[in-house]
């Protein structure tokens, strides 16, 4: 069964192979958007719990990936993981710092920091 209409929370419509309606504040106005938002947050939180178990020290299981002081301190102390979004300024800065270190070393600790 193919949908006839897709609602998107926000101002931008997407190509969905059917009609698409963008609804600003859609999670407050459209029940299906509100339900999808809850499902997405639950799935995200479960994934963050798994990532937290795989990468101790970052606190993913507590802050769920939000940019809280604990997360930023861990990023500086431990470096970024494969799960960090490179477009986030502190992550980009951490990768830039690691690249600078790695440029001066043929082999060694800087490469270990880049490992997941």
């Amino acid at each position: 069964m193919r949908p006839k209409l897709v609602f998107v929370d926000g101002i931008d419509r997407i190509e969905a192979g059917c009609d698409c309606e963008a609804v600003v504040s859609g999670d407050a106005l459209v029940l299906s958007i509100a339900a999808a938002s809850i499902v997405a947050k639950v799935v995200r939180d479960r994934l963050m719990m798994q990532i937290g178990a795989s990468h101790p020290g970052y606190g993913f299981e507590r802050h769920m990936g939000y940019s809280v002081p604990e997360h930023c301190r861990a990023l500086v102390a431990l470096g970024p993981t494969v799960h960090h979004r490179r477009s986030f300024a502190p992550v980009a800065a951490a990768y830039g710092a690691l690249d600078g270190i790695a440029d001066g070393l043929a082999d060694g600790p800087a490469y270990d920091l880049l490992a997941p």
Side-chain angles (χ1 to χ4, degrees), residues 60-85:
F60 287 115
E61 68 281 2
R62 288 184 298 282
H63 58 65
M64 304 303 172
Y66 284 99
S67 178
V68 297
E70 173 191 13
H71 189 169
C72 293
R73 285 190 301 271
L75 184 58
V76 169
L78 302 172
T81 71
V82 297
H83 304 289
H84 284 93
R85 192 169 28 99

Side-chain angles (χ1 to χ4, degrees), residues 17-42:
C18 63
D19 290 339
C20 178
E21 186 175 333
V23 183
V24 175
S25 299
D27 57 346
L29 302 172
V30 178
L31 188 57
S32 60
I33 294 176
S37 177
I38 292 167
V39 169
K41 287 176 180 133
V42 168

Side-chain angles (χ1 to χ4, degrees), residues 86-108:
R86 287 179 176 242
S87 61
F88 180 55
V91 174
Y95 272 110
L98 292 176
D99 289 342
I101 293 169
D103 288 342
L105 301 172
D107 192 22

Side-chain angles (χ1 to χ4, degrees), residues 34-55:
S37 177
I38 292 167
V39 169
K41 287 176 180 133
V42 168
V43 170
R44 187 256 345 257
D45 290 353
R46 289 178 180 170
L47 289 171
M48 288 293 112
M49 297 292 286
Q50 292 174 353
I51 292 170
S54 297
H55 298 281

